[in-house]
Amino acid sequence: MTLLAADIGGTKTRLTLAEKTANGISFGRTQVYDSGAHPNFHSIARLFLGEERPNAACFAVAGPITLEAEGEACGVTNLPWHLDSRVLSKELGIKRVKLINDFQAVGYGIEHLADSDMLTLQAGQALQHGVRAVIGAGTGLGQCVLVWTGNVYDVISTEGGHADFAPTSDLEFELMKWLQRQHGHVSIERVASGTGIASIYKFLCERWPQLLSTGLKNAISDSGDVAATLATWPEADPLARQTLALFAKVYGAQAGNLALTVLPRGGVYIAGGIAAKNIGLMQGGAFMDAFRNKGRMSQLMDTFPVRIITHPHVGLHGAMYLAARL
């Protein structure tokens, strides 16, 4: 049986084919596309498949899924794309097509990770079959929760990244007011994400213009990617250092908020490209200090295992394993 899976994000879209046999799933051809360079997902899928027609497909989408009578529909949060499982099934010639949230896919993928696919920030006290929480900053901020059903984990999607940003310092209150003037409502995703890093940097440049480095400014202009440039820029630059430290603090605080909400005694998993590509930043102390800094609940926070997912395609694999169930 031939299977198709896709991980559809605001920046990149990844597709892969696999064969399901009695011995398991054998992954095959994989391709990565620039999402913004295509008018819709349909065109990417047709380009990738050519003449191939898989038996089933599961597409992980960065956006809220709407359940309908005979399938699912979804708009991509950071792209003007709309996907409908029934339309995709017809246009691509695939009998069974399922849409799931991209962080649901990460949740399903966790079950198939090896220890070498993760890095531990806090050992905690793991409880077998305990609730698990997943949070991940990339283009946006995704969150999901895993609950044991007796045989497997069921993955509950959320849009928690769009909850309110909760400042915890004078500087963060200034940042929130600065963001309110631009956006009105300020979600946590406005800060704890790749675009959030760019916003923090711009805010700090306006607050402390005397610290602005011409070299860093030119490097950002040349690359066009604030977050990626700051991640590789020397720590001696005060604005680069302050930007990343503030991002890590806000990110860690939100991970802690999620943990308090669902009590993940099975562990907190940090997904998304930013953490995996910036291990030093995540291990620097600001993230975990903010995670644990919950007043009377600080001792409770010490009990939750916290791990960074380093596997680059956990969501894509999660979608594939769900496709196999179809």
Side-chain angles (χ1 to χ4, degrees):
M1 176 183 291
T2 303
L3 306 172
L4 171 66
D7 187 358
I8 304 167
T11 304
K12 301 292 183 183
T13 292
R14 295 177 174 84
L15 298 96
T16 190
L17 286 166
E19 290 294 328
K20 179 183 178 182
T21 68
N23 296 322
I25 297 175
S26 176
F27 285 83
R29 180 167 60 91
T30 298
Q31 186 70 43
V32 181
Y33 297 88
D34 180 357
S35 300
H38 298 269
N40 49 52
F41 173 68
H42 302 67
S43 61
I44 292 178
R46 285 192 293 265
L47 182 64
F48 176 75
L49 287 173
E51 299 300 319
E52 295 188 72
R53 294 295 177 266
N55 302 97
C58 180
F59 303 139
V61 190
I65 303 296
T66 301
L67 300 179
E68 300 185 348
E70 297 179 1
E72 305 87 27
C74 180
V76 184
T77 301
N78 292 298
L79 283 174
W81 291 4
H82 182 79
L83 286 75
D84 186 300
S85 61
R86 293 165 298 180
V87 175
L88 286 165
S89 176
K90 181 178 179 180
E91 291 194 0
L92 301 178
I94 304 173
K95 185 177 180 180
R96 298 179 181 178
V97 173
K98 186 172 182 62
L99 303 181
I100 61 172
N101 177 265
D102 59 339
F103 258 71
Q104 275 186 289
V106 172
Y108 285 115
I110 285 175
E111 284 293 278
H112 305 279
L113 293 177
D115 288 342
S116 59
D117 295 323
M118 296 178 284
L119 184 148
T120 298
L121 292 179
Q122 174 171 285
Q125 301 165 21
L127 177 66
Q128 186 179 22
H129 300 155
V131 171
R132 295 174 175 177
V134 186
I135 185 170
T139 303
L141 181 68
Q143 299 179 184
C144 73
V145 180
L146 283 69
V147 179
W148 184 253
T149 64
N151 296 306
V152 295
Y153 272 100
D154 191 15
V155 182
I156 302 170
S157 64
T158 81
E159 287 298 328
H162 297 282
D164 299 337
F165 168 46
T168 61
S169 69
D170 290 343
L171 183 62
E172 289 175 25
F173 273 105
E174 288 184 41
L175 172 61
M176 183 181 70
K177 292 176 181 178
W178 184 85
L179 288 167
Q180 280 179 327
R181 290 193 291 271
Q182 301 174 60
H183 305 291
H185 175 257
V186 181
S187 68
I188 185 63
E189 184 176 88
R190 294 287 187 189
V191 185
S193 64
T195 53
I197 291 175
S199 294
I200 294 171
Y201 174 71
K202 185 177 180 182
F203 160 72
L204 293 178
C205 285
E206 292 184 13
R207 193 180 192 278
W208 292 310
Q210 70 276 17
L211 299 179
L212 181 59
S213 162
T214 301
L216 177 54
K217 181 179 179 180
N218 291 340
I220 290 173
S221 178
D222 291 341
S223 73
D225 189 330
V226 178
T229 303
L230 290 176
T232 59
W233 200 252
E235 291 186 2
D237 185 282
L239 283 183
R241 183 174 64 251
Q242 180 73 359
T243 297
L244 294 176
L246 183 53
F247 162 78
K249 180 175 180 289
V250 172
Y251 193 7
Q254 179 58 18
N257 291 340
L258 176 60
L260 284 175
T261 303
V262 304
L263 299 180
R265 301 189 187 280
V268 177
Y269 293 81
I270 313 301
I274 294 177
K277 294 175 183 177
N278 297 276
I279 296 298
L281 173 66
M282 300 299 292
Q283 293 177 319
F287 180 92
M288 287 307 303
D289 286 347
F291 177 86
R292 300 186 187 103
N293 186 24
K294 299 301 181 186
R296 290 172 293 173
M297 294 292 107
S298 293
Q299 286 188 327
L300 174 66
M301 304 306 290
D302 290 336
T303 67
F304 302 132
V306 181
R307 300 181 181 93
I308 296 174
I309 298 171
T310 57
H311 191 292
H313 305 307
V314 59
L316 188 62
H317 283 204
M320 184 62 79
Y321 288 113
L322 191 55
R325 297 186 190 180
L326 300 179

